[in-house]
Coordinates of all heavy atoms in Angstrom, one line a residue:
G197 N 88.8 117.7 155.3 CA 90.1 117.6 154.6 C 90.7 118.9 154.4 O 90.2 120.0 154.9
E198 N 91.9 118.9 153.9 CA 92.7 120.1 153.5 C 92.8 121.1 154.7 O 92.4 122.3 154.6 CB 92.2 120.8 152.3 CG 93.2 121.7 151.6 CD 92.7 122.3 150.3 OE1 91.5 122.5 150.1 OE2 93.6 122.4 149.4
P199 N 93.4 120.7 155.8 CA 93.5 121.6 157.0 C 94.6 122.5 157.0 O 95.3 122.8 158.0 CB 93.6 120.6 158.1 CG 94.4 119.5 157.6 CD 93.9 119.3 156.1
T200 N 94.9 123.2 155.8 CA 96.0 124.1 155.7 C 95.9 125.2 156.8 O 94.8 125.7 157.1 CB 95.9 124.8 154.3 OG1 95.9 123.8 153.3 CG2 97.1 125.8 154.1
P201 N 96.9 125.5 157.5 CA 98.3 125.2 157.3 C 98.8 124.0 158.1 O 100.0 123.8 158.3 CB 99.0 126.5 157.8 CG 98.2 126.9 158.9 CD 96.8 126.6 158.6
F202 N 97.9 123.3 158.7 CA 98.2 122.2 159.6 C 98.1 120.8 159.0 O 97.4 120.7 158.0 CB 97.4 122.3 160.9 CG 97.5 123.6 161.7 CD1 96.5 124.4 161.7 CD2 98.7 123.9 162.3 CE1 96.6 125.6 162.4 CE2 98.8 125.1 163.0 CZ 97.8 126.0 163.1
G203 N 98.7 119.9 159.6 CA 98.4 118.5 159.3 C 97.7 117.8 160.5 O 96.9 118.5 161.2
W204 N 97.9 116.6 160.7 CA 97.3 115.9 161.8 C 97.6 116.6 163.1 O 98.7 117.1 163.3 CB 97.8 114.4 161.9 CG 97.1 113.6 162.9 CD1 97.6 113.2 164.1 CD2 95.9 112.9 162.7 NE1 96.7 112.4 164.7 CE2 95.6 112.2 163.9 CE3 95.0 112.8 161.6 CZ2 94.5 111.4 164.0 CZ3 93.8 112.1 161.8 CH2 93.6 111.4 163.0
P205 N 96.7 116.7 164.1 CA 95.3 116.1 164.1 C 94.2 116.9 163.5 O 93.1 116.6 163.7 CB 95.1 115.9 165.6 CG 95.7 117.1 166.2 CD 97.0 117.4 165.4
S206 N 94.5 118.0 162.8 CA 93.4 118.8 162.2 C 92.9 117.9 161.1 O 93.6 117.3 160.3 CB 94.0 120.1 161.6 OG 94.4 120.9 162.6
R207 N 91.5 117.8 161.0 CA 90.9 116.9 160.0 C 89.9 117.7 159.1 O 89.3 117.1 158.2 CB 90.2 115.8 160.7 CG 89.3 116.1 161.9 CD 88.0 116.8 161.6 NE 87.2 116.9 162.7 CZ 86.2 117.8 162.9 NH1 86.1 118.8 162.0 NH2 85.4 117.8 164.0
S208 N 89.8 119.0 159.2 CA 89.0 119.8 158.3 C 89.6 121.2 158.1 O 90.5 121.6 158.8 CB 87.6 119.9 158.9 OG 87.6 120.3 160.2
S209 N 89.0 121.9 157.1 CA 89.7 123.1 156.7 C 89.4 124.3 157.6 O 88.5 124.2 158.5 CB 89.2 123.5 155.3 OG 87.9 124.0 155.3
Y210 N 90.1 125.4 157.4 CA 90.0 126.6 158.2 C 89.5 127.8 157.3 O 89.5 128.9 157.7 CB 91.3 127.0 158.8 CG 91.8 126.0 159.9 CD1 92.4 124.8 159.5 CD2 91.7 126.3 161.2 CE1 92.9 123.9 160.4 CE2 92.2 125.4 162.2 CZ 92.8 124.2 161.8 OH 93.3 123.3 162.7
F211 N 89.2 127.5 156.0 CA 89.0 128.5 155.0 C 87.6 129.1 155.1 O 87.4 130.2 154.5 CB 89.2 127.9 153.6 CG 90.6 127.5 153.3 CD1 90.9 126.2 153.0 CD2 91.7 128.5 153.3 CE1 92.3 125.8 152.7 CE2 93.0 128.1 153.0 CZ 93.3 126.8 152.7
G212 N 86.7 128.4 155.6 CA 85.3 128.8 155.5 C 84.9 130.2 156.2 O 85.5 130.5 157.2
I213 N 84.0 130.8 155.5 CA 83.4 132.0 156.2 C 82.5 131.5 157.4 O 82.4 132.2 158.4 CB 82.5 132.8 155.2 CG1 83.3 133.3 154.0 CG2 81.7 133.9 155.9 CD1 82.5 133.8 152.9
F214 N 82.0 130.3 157.2 CA 81.3 129.6 158.3 C 82.0 128.3 158.6 O 82.7 127.7 157.7 CB 79.8 129.3 157.8 CG 79.0 130.5 157.5 CD1 79.0 131.1 156.3 CD2 78.2 131.1 158.5 CE1 78.3 132.2 156.0 CE2 77.4 132.2 158.3 CZ 77.5 132.8 157.0
D215 N 81.9 127.9 159.9 CA 82.7 126.7 160.3 C 82.0 125.4 159.8 O 80.9 125.5 159.1 CB 82.9 126.7 161.8 CG 81.7 126.4 162.6 OD1 80.6 126.0 162.1 OD2 81.8 126.6 163.9
L216 N 82.5 124.3 160.1 CA 81.9 123.0 159.6 C 80.5 122.8 160.1 O 79.7 122.1 159.4 CB 82.8 121.9 160.1 CG 82.8 120.6 159.2 CD1 83.3 120.9 157.8 CD2 83.6 119.5 159.9
C217 N 80.1 123.4 161.2 CA 78.7 123.4 161.6 C 77.8 124.3 160.9 O 76.5 124.2 161.0 CB 78.6 123.7 163.1 SG 79.5 122.5 164.2
G218 N 78.3 125.3 160.2 CA 77.5 126.4 159.7 C 77.4 127.6 160.6 O 76.6 128.5 160.3
F219 N 78.2 127.6 161.7 CA 78.2 128.8 162.6 C 79.1 129.8 162.0 O 80.2 129.5 161.5 CB 78.7 128.4 163.9 CG 77.9 127.3 164.6 CD1 78.5 126.4 165.5 CD2 76.5 127.1 164.4 CE1 77.7 125.4 166.1 CE2 75.8 126.1 165.0 CZ 76.4 125.3 165.9
P220 N 78.7 131.1 162.1 CA 79.5 132.2 161.5 C 80.8 132.5 162.2 O 80.8 132.5 163.4 CB 78.6 133.4 161.5 CG 77.6 133.1 162.7 CD 77.4 131.6 162.7
K221 N 81.9 132.6 161.5 CA 83.1 133.2 162.0 C 82.9 134.7 161.9 O 82.0 135.2 161.2 CB 84.3 132.8 161.2 CG 84.5 131.2 161.2 CD 85.7 130.8 160.3 CE 85.7 129.3 160.2 NZ 86.9 128.9 159.3
D222 N 83.8 135.5 162.6 CA 83.6 136.9 162.6 C 83.6 137.5 161.2 O 82.8 138.5 160.9 CB 84.7 137.6 163.4 CG 84.5 137.3 164.9 OD1 83.5 137.8 165.5 OD2 85.3 136.6 165.5
R223 N 84.4 136.9 160.3 CA 84.4 137.6 158.9 C 83.1 137.4 158.2 O 82.9 138.1 157.1 CB 85.6 137.0 158.2 CG 85.6 135.5 158.0 CD 87.0 135.2 157.3 NE 87.6 134.0 157.8 CZ 87.8 132.9 157.0 NH1 87.4 132.9 155.8 NH2 88.4 131.9 157.6
A224 N 82.2 136.6 158.6 CA 80.9 136.5 158.0 C 80.2 137.9 158.0 O 79.6 138.3 157.1 CB 80.0 135.5 158.6
Y225 N 80.5 138.6 159.1 CA 79.8 139.9 159.3 C 80.6 141.0 158.4 O 80.0 142.0 158.1 CB 79.8 140.3 160.7 CG 79.0 139.3 161.6 CD1 79.6 138.3 162.2 CD2 77.6 139.4 161.6 CE1 78.9 137.3 163.0 CE2 76.9 138.5 162.4 CZ 77.5 137.5 163.0 OH 76.8 136.5 163.7
L226 N 81.8 140.8 158.1 CA 82.5 141.7 157.2 C 81.9 141.6 155.8 O 81.6 142.6 155.2 CB 84.0 141.3 157.1 CG 84.8 142.1 156.1 CD1 84.7 143.6 156.3 CD2 86.3 141.7 156.2
Y227 N 81.7 140.3 155.3 CA 81.0 140.2 154.1 C 79.6 140.7 154.1 O 79.2 141.4 153.1 CB 81.0 138.7 153.7 CG 82.3 138.2 153.2 CD1 83.1 137.3 154.0 CD2 82.8 138.5 152.0 CE1 84.3 136.8 153.6 CE2 84.1 138.0 151.5 CZ 84.8 137.2 152.3 OH 86.0 136.7 151.9
Q228 N 78.9 140.5 155.2 CA 77.5 141.0 155.3 C 77.5 142.5 155.2 O 76.7 143.1 154.5 CB 76.9 140.6 156.6 CG 75.4 140.9 156.7 CD 74.8 140.4 158.0 OE1 75.4 140.7 159.1 NE2 73.8 139.6 157.9
S229 N 78.5 143.2 155.8 CA 78.6 144.6 155.8 C 78.9 145.2 154.4 O 78.6 146.3 154.1 CB 79.6 145.1 156.8 OG 81.0 144.9 156.4
Q230 N 79.6 144.4 153.6 CA 80.0 144.8 152.3 C 79.0 144.4 151.2 O 79.0 145.1 150.1 CB 81.4 144.2 151.9 CG 82.5 144.6 152.9 CD 82.8 146.1 152.9 OE1 83.0 146.7 151.8 NE2 82.8 146.8 154.0
W231 N 78.3 143.3 151.4 CA 77.5 142.7 150.3 C 76.0 142.9 150.5 O 75.2 142.5 149.7 CB 77.8 141.2 150.2 CG 79.1 140.9 149.6 CD1 80.0 141.8 149.0 CD2 79.7 139.6 149.4 NE1 81.0 141.1 148.5 CE2 80.9 139.8 148.8 CE3 79.3 138.3 149.8 CZ2 81.7 138.7 148.4 CZ3 80.1 137.3 149.5 CH2 81.3 137.4 148.8
T232 N 75.6 143.5 151.6 CA 74.1 143.7 151.9 C 73.9 145.2 152.3 O 74.8 145.9 152.7 CB 73.6 142.8 152.9 OG1 73.9 143.2 154.3 CG2 74.1 141.4 152.8
D233 N 72.6 145.5 152.3 CA 72.2 146.8 152.9 C 71.6 146.7 154.3 O 71.1 147.6 154.8 CB 71.1 147.4 151.9 CG 71.6 147.8 150.6 OD1 72.8 148.2 150.5 OD2 70.9 147.6 149.6
K234 N 71.7 145.5 154.8 CA 71.2 145.3 156.2 C 72.1 146.1 157.2 O 73.3 146.2 157.0 CB 71.4 143.8 156.6 CG 70.6 142.8 155.8 CD 70.9 141.4 156.2 CE 70.2 140.4 155.3 NZ 70.5 139.0 155.7
P235 N 71.5 146.7 158.2 CA 72.3 147.4 159.2 C 73.2 146.4 159.9 O 72.7 145.4 160.5 CB 71.3 148.0 160.1 CG 70.0 148.1 159.3 CD 70.0 146.9 158.4
V236 N 74.5 146.6 159.8 CA 75.5 145.7 160.4 C 76.4 146.4 161.4 O 77.0 147.4 161.0 CB 76.3 145.0 159.3 CG1 77.4 144.1 160.0 CG2 75.5 144.2 158.4
V237 N 76.4 146.0 162.6 CA 77.5 146.4 163.6 C 77.8 145.2 164.3 O 77.0 144.6 165.1 CB 77.0 147.5 164.5 CG1 78.0 147.7 165.6 CG2 76.7 148.8 163.8
H238 N 79.0 144.7 164.2 CA 79.5 143.4 164.8 C 80.8 143.7 165.5 O 81.8 144.0 164.9 CB 79.6 142.3 163.8 CG 80.2 141.1 164.3 ND1 79.5 140.2 165.2 CD2 81.5 140.5 164.2 CE1 80.3 139.2 165.5 NE2 81.5 139.4 165.0
L239 N 80.8 143.5 166.8 CA 81.9 143.6 167.7 C 82.6 142.3 167.9 O 82.0 141.3 168.1 CB 81.5 144.2 169.1 CG 81.3 145.7 169.2 CD1 80.9 146.0 170.6 CD2 82.6 146.5 168.9
F240 N 83.9 142.3 168.1 CA 84.7 141.2 168.5 C 86.0 141.6 169.1 O 86.5 142.7 168.7 CB 84.8 140.1 167.4 CG 85.6 140.6 166.2 CD1 86.9 140.2 166.0 CD2 85.0 141.4 165.2 CE1 87.7 140.6 164.9 CE2 85.7 141.8 164.1 CZ 87.1 141.4 163.9

């Protein structure tokens, strides 16, 4: 639901850090770089 900024045929949201499957979008690594001490280098 809530597929802002689109309507049909989008049927799920675009807001997640992770997609509906739980796969990371690129910004997941931005949060990881800011919120953890893990060594992070992520190219895209």
Side-chain angles (χ1 to χ4, degrees):
E198 199 171 35
T200 305
F202 300 114
W204 187 262
S206 296
R207 44 74 169 154
S208 53
S209 79
Y210 296 78
F211 294 119
I213 300 170
F214 297 87
D215 71 12
L216 204 64
C217 296
F219 301 149
K221 301 176 186 178
D222 289 292
R223 57 184 140 117
Y225 300 95
L226 174 56
Y227 285 107
Q228 188 180 54
S229 73
Q230 300 296 310
W231 286 354
T232 78
D233 294 325
K234 299 175 184 177
V236 178
V237 171
H238 174 72
L239 276 178
F240 62 102

